[in-house]
């Protein structure tokens, strides 16, 4: 590779500009008070061609410049159960103990009991508290309903710093999971002060059988090698693109299997049950700070029930599936599914990043001054 390490870049059309002289990390860049103006001022000389870099990324050719996850020092957080439809699917997972063969029967039972009565309930409202009483009486109360319509959203750490993968990389499904699916999500990018300055797409890979056995297995279900995919780029907010733009974003999903199977889905962000501001406030505040900023998965409406292999068995990934997550304002994030244990090990951590940045500073300091 040209630099033997990660570079902070800006993309405009088919041009990629090297921003490393402006900021050594994405985290540092996003803290700049005049962020958008500074980035534009630094876009002076094209260094790479976007089409060539994207091609190398999709071919997983690490010998050429390619895209990584567009965050670095930020903590990767996630909110779960932020849509009623997916909340009900989490209840089903719990009710059938992660056993996919019981899912359809449980789905019919829960749907009959719940109907559509909770779809419009505002989480944390008096109406939600009343619904909780009714559900308890029916023997259907669940920890997922607690975070779905209760006063506090679910917020968890999805992945360690520097462990997410980007466009073209493989996403991992561990061999111990036999019921799993992609989760196409809008991901907000925030500074150390909690200001949301941009957004991107994400795949919050989900192991339904593992989490369904016990919510205490959330870490085992959510945090595995290559289980967090982000990209293709962060789109920064400016005058024409803001947080309000994303409130009605439609995030599309397409899964194409080597067996010819195709699954399509949609995550309509407008149907989210809690506003973005509430999710961000639940993540960062007096109770918790993130000095290097954070990326926040905001949850998904999508929970596939379409059968793939056997009737009544629902959807689960096969190795080789190509997952495409796309939206009008944020582009397309494309990854292929592989077995976690067979994927390249996560090896580039904080020590390696700091060593690389130190070498880059030394090289910059020894470079001859330009006339």
């Amino acid at each position: 590779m040209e630099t033997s390490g990660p570079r902070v870049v800006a993309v405009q059309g088919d041009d990629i500009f090297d921003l490393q002289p402006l900021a050594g990390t994405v985290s540092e860049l996003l803290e700049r008070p005049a962020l958008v103006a500074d980035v534009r001022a630094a876009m002076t000389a094209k260094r790479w061609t976007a089409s060539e870099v994207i091609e190398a990324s999709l071919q997983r050719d690490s010998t050429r410049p390619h895209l990584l996850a567009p965050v670095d020092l930020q903590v990767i957080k996630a909110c779960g159960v932020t849509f009623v439809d997916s909340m009900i699917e989490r209840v089903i997972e719990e009710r059938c103990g992660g056993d996919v063969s019981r899912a359809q029967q449980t789905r019919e039972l829960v749907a009959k009991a719940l109907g559509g009565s909770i779809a419009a309930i505002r989480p944390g409202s008096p109406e939600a508290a009343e619904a909780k009483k009714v559900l308890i009486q029916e023997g259907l109360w669940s920890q997922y309903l607690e975070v779905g319509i209760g006063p506090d959203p679910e917020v968890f750490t999805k992945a360690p710093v520097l462990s997410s993968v980007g466009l073209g990389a493989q996403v991992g499904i561990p061999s111990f999971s036999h019921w799993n699916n992609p989760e196409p999500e809008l991901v907000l990018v925030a500074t150390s002060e909690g200001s949301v300055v941009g957004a991107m797409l994400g795949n919050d890979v989900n192991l339904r059988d593992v989490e369904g056995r016990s919510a205490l297995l959330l870490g085992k279900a959510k945090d595995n090698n290559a289980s967090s995919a982000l990209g293709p780029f962060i789109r920064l907010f400016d005058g024409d693109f803001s947080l309000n733009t994303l409130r009605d974003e439609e995030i599309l999903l397409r899964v194409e299997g080597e067996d010819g199977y195709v699954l399509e889905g949609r995550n309509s962000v407008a149907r989210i049950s809690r506003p973005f501001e509430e999710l961000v406030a639940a993540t960062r505040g007096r109770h918790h700070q993130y000095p290097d900023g954070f990326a926040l998965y905001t949850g998904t409406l999508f929970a596939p029930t379409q059968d793939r292999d056997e009737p009544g068995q629902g959807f689960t990934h096969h190795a080789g599936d190509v997952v495409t997550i796309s939206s009008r304002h944020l582009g397309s994030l494309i990854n292929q599914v592989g077995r976690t244990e067979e994927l390249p090990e996560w090896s580039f951590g904080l020590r390696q990043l700091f060593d690389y940045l130190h070498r880059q500073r030394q090289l910059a300091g020894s470079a001859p001054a330009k006339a």
Side-chain angles (χ1 to χ4, degrees), residues 3-19:
T3 63
S4 301
R7 309 291 288 188
V8 182
V9 302
V11 182
Q12 185 176 57
D14 197 41
D15 299 333
I16 297 183
F17 302 87
D18 190 354
L19 300 185

Side-chain angles (χ1 to χ4, degrees), residues 171-174 177-184 203-208 253-257 259 261 263 302 304 308-309 314-325 335-339:
V171 291
I173 300 293
S177 174
H178 305 286
W179 184 21
N180 43 71
N181 63 267
E183 290 195 344
N203 184 356
D204 179 14
V205 180
N206 183 39
L207 309 184
R208 301 190 69 177
L253 170 75
R254 183 177 175 87
V255 178
E256 300 172 90
D259 55 356
Y261 178 88
L263 173 72
F302 178 73
R308 180 172 194 173
D309 298 314
F315 171 85
T316 197
H317 269 308
H318 288 188
D321 284 353
V322 175
V323 180
T324 301
I325 298 171
N335 302 96
Q336 186 178 43
V337 173
R339 283 295 174 197

Side-chain angles (χ1 to χ4, degrees), residues 161-231:
V161 169
L162 290 176
S163 69
S164 296
V165 298
L167 175 75
Q170 289 179 288
V171 291
I173 300 293
S175 59
F176 54 74
S177 174
H178 305 286
W179 184 21
N180 43 71
N181 63 267
E183 290 195 344
E185 301 191 20
L186 171 69
V187 182
L188 304 179
V189 183
T191 67
S192 60
E193 295 298 316
S195 297
V196 180
V197 295
M200 57 187 164
L201 298 172
N203 184 356
D204 179 14
V205 180
N206 183 39
L207 309 184
R208 301 190 69 177
D209 47 358
V210 176
E211 186 177 350
R213 284 160 47 203
S214 170
L216 297 180
L217 292 173
L218 181 66
K220 186 179 181 70
K222 289 292 188 179
D223 182 8
N224 295 286
N225 192 25
S227 64
S228 169
L230 298 170

